[in-house]
């Protein structure tokens, strides 16, 4: 999570938005459509859907996008030098089709919070969120919590505890909070809970305050 030098946050009555919410912009609409395709591919009737036609049309779309893609190194730099709040990460990025995406708010008590309903692309056991997806989400949320807390760092260790299966197709609340800073070491905790308050996953993270290598 890169908050940049001068991030612009949007304040709400109950908190400050720390991540970029989807906008009515062509790239956001196109990315949302790509998410629909990924989800629909997992749900479609493979025996009756015309998947040959789907493959042809999707390859045509990919060809069009690749024709307008700059060099990878150039795109990496552009992504790092964005608005101060990333729009491309795989958890909160509205420009990333694999992100749900989650919108996170910073609260006055120092914590961050977001809500999300995960669907078929994030499935592990039947009807449940993949454990690796839960860890990915919490790693990112803890990073945002560190930035909100005033001292960010790179992930050194995550201790993830799975209390119960995390359900798909149900509202989930994701939280994070920076607990302590000891020199360069930052200790942060977080969780994923159901709408009725059941803890599905909890995490304790150790982060190290270090410069993040950036493309040049």
């Amino acid at each position: 999570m890169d908050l940049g030098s001068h991030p612009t946050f949007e304040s709400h009555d109950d908190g400050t938005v720390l991540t970029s919410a989807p906008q009515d912009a062509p790239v956001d609409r196109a990315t949302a459509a790509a998410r629909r395709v990924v989800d629909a591919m997992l749900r479609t009737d493979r025996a009756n859907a015309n998947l040959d036609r789907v493959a042809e049309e999707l390859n045509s779309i990919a060809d069009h996008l690749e024709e307008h893609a700059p060099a990878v190194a150039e795109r990496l730099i552009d992504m790092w030098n964005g608005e101060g709040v990333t729009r491309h990460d795989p958890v909160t990025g509205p420009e990333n089709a694999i992100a749900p995406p989650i919108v996170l708010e910073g609260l006055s008590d120092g914590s961050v919070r977001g809500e999300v309903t995960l669907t078929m692309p994030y499935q592990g056991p039947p009807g449940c969120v993949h454990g690796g997806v839960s860890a990915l989400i919490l790693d990112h949320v803890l990073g945002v919590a560190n930035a909100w807390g005033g001292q960010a760092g790179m992930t050194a260790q995550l201790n993830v505890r799975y209390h119960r299966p995390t359900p798909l197709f149900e509202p989930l609340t994701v939280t994070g909070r920076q607990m302590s800073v000891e020199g360069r070491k930052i200790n942060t905790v977080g969780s994923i809970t159901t709408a009725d308050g059941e803890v599905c996953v909890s995490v304790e993270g150790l982060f190290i305050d270090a410069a993040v290598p950036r493309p040049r």
Side-chain angles (χ1 to χ4, degrees):
M1 170 67 179
D2 176 39
L3 292 179
S5 301
H6 301 284
T8 300
F9 296 144
E10 178 184 348
S11 294
H12 288 183
D13 291 340
D14 55 348
T16 300
V17 177
L18 303 178
T19 53
S20 219
Q23 304 168 0
D24 187 24
V27 63
D28 289 40
R29 295 197 300 271
T31 306
R35 288 192 193 97
R36 284 189 62 195
V37 170
V38 172
D39 186 81
M41 280 293 299
L42 290 169
R43 293 185 292 108
T44 194
D45 181 347
R46 285 156 172 73
N48 294 314
N50 188 346
L51 295 182
D52 284 332
R53 178 187 171 191
V54 169
E56 182 179 342
E57 293 188 5
L58 289 177
N59 278 318
S60 177
I61 291 170
D63 290 343
H64 173 76
L65 293 173
E66 289 171 356
E67 286 174 7
H68 295 83
V72 171
E74 180 182 343
R75 183 67 182 116
L76 288 175
I77 292 172
D78 178 60
M79 292 164 79
W80 271 103
N81 293 335
E83 62 190 28
V85 179
T86 56
R87 292 178 52 80
H88 57 269
D89 70 76
V91 175
T92 67
E95 294 184 16
N96 191 329
I98 70 173
I102 303 174
V103 177
L104 296 172
E105 292 188 348
L107 306 180
S108 59
D109 64 2
S111 67
V112 301
R113 181 180 185 275
E115 295 185 353
V116 65
T117 299
L118 299 172
T119 56
M120 290 287 283
Y122 308 100
Q123 180 172 239
C128 301
V129 179
H130 192 291
V133 171
S134 298
L136 167 67
I137 289 172
L138 286 168
D139 179 36
H140 189 79
V141 170
L142 265 56
V144 176
N146 286 332
W148 180 240
Q151 187 163 349
M154 298 180 68
T155 308
Q157 181 175 325
L158 290 177
N159 293 323
V160 183
R161 182 180 177 188
Y162 298 93
H163 301 262
R164 52 164 285 179
T166 304
L168 295 174
F169 308 111
E170 293 184 20
L172 301 170
T173 298
V174 188
T175 61
R177 181 195 296 269
Q178 187 177 97
M179 300 301 291
S180 65
V181 177
E182 303 168 6
R184 295 175 57 215
K185 295 182 178 180
I186 306 163
N187 297 288
T188 318
V189 299
S191 66
I192 299 175
T193 61
T194 62
D196 58 7
E198 292 277 353
V199 177
C200 299
V201 188
S202 62
V203 65
E204 297 178 350
L206 171 65
F207 296 78
I208 304 298
D209 185 357
V212 179
R214 302 192 178 195
R216 299 180 180 275

